[in-house]
Amino acid sequence: MKKLVWVMVADSSRARLLGTDDPAGALEELEDMLHQDGRSREGELVSDRPGRNRNGSSSGSHSIGHEQDAKKHEMVAFAKDIGRRLVQSRQKGEFERLYLMASEKMLGLIKKELDDETTRALEQADALNLVQHSVESIRDHLPHRI
């Protein structure tokens, strides 16, 4: 799977890895990563509802305890998986240059997971959610020579 240039497009539940040996050429799809928990609704991810506490001085009640944002947790977990994949592949010499396009939230989370060497290999990082686009459309969002 060694390619000169890798392009990773991602959102909170899917990441596609594309690559090429020709900086001016077409991309080919190398891998499609799915994170099923990222597709779940929050109610499906949280197994228990927070406790309720009736406030004696008012007629209302409010949640007690800290509710974890399960959707955010799954997004962070997937970003860690993507970052780990990119770092390990760079260490193995599977790519020389990297382009990253992800939804705005995912972009920051993924970049946070990259080590210094992988960050140096990162030619361009754009907050674009292109994960559902065709390979040709993704290529159109990159410079002519990548």
Side-chain angles (χ1 to χ4, degrees):
M1 188 180 339
K2 187 173 180 172
K3 294 289 181 186
L4 177 66
V5 180
W6 274 14
V7 177
M8 176 68 78
V9 294
D11 65 15
S12 63
S13 62
R14 183 178 181 200
R16 293 169 62 201
L17 179 61
L18 312 162
T20 186
D21 286 325
D22 180 0
L27 297 172
E28 80 176 81
E29 189 142 2
L30 304 174
E31 187 176 341
D32 195 346
M33 300 169 63
L34 293 176
H35 186 71
Q36 287 305 112
D37 287 340
R39 294 177 182 261
S40 301
R41 292 191 310 258
E42 181 142 359
E44 296 169 345
L45 296 172
V46 178
S47 63
D48 207 351
R49 298 177 78 181
R52 303 296 286 177
N53 185 18
R54 182 155 302 273
N55 185 341
S57 63
S58 69
S59 61
S61 64
H62 61 275
S63 297
I64 60 174
H66 296 285
E67 221 179 300
Q68 183 179 19
D69 181 357
K71 195 95 167 148
K72 173 75 172 180
H73 173 78
E74 290 304 326
M75 188 183 305
V76 169
F78 191 42
K80 286 180 184 286
D81 290 345
I82 293 168
R84 188 173 24 255
R85 170 75 167 94
L86 293 172
V87 168
Q88 289 172 350
S89 296
R90 193 238 357 115
Q91 290 170 340
K92 293 177 185 174
E94 294 179 357
F95 67 89
E96 293 177 18
R97 294 191 308 275
L98 175 66
Y99 289 79
L100 178 60
M101 292 180 276
S103 58
E104 189 172 349
K105 290 178 183 178
M106 280 298 285
L107 182 64
L109 292 172
I110 294 168
K111 286 174 66 175
K112 196 166 92 171
E113 298 302 320
L114 303 180
D115 64 2
D116 290 341
E117 289 83 21
T118 307
T119 299
R120 280 193 286 278
L122 186 61
E123 293 286 327
Q124 185 174 321
D126 293 316
L128 295 171
N129 188 352
L130 302 176
V131 78
Q132 298 296 330
H133 288 233
S134 69
V135 174
E136 295 79 16
S137 175
I138 294 168
R139 181 63 179 97
D140 288 343
H141 282 84
L142 295 165
H144 175 68
R145 293 189 59 79
I146 52 176

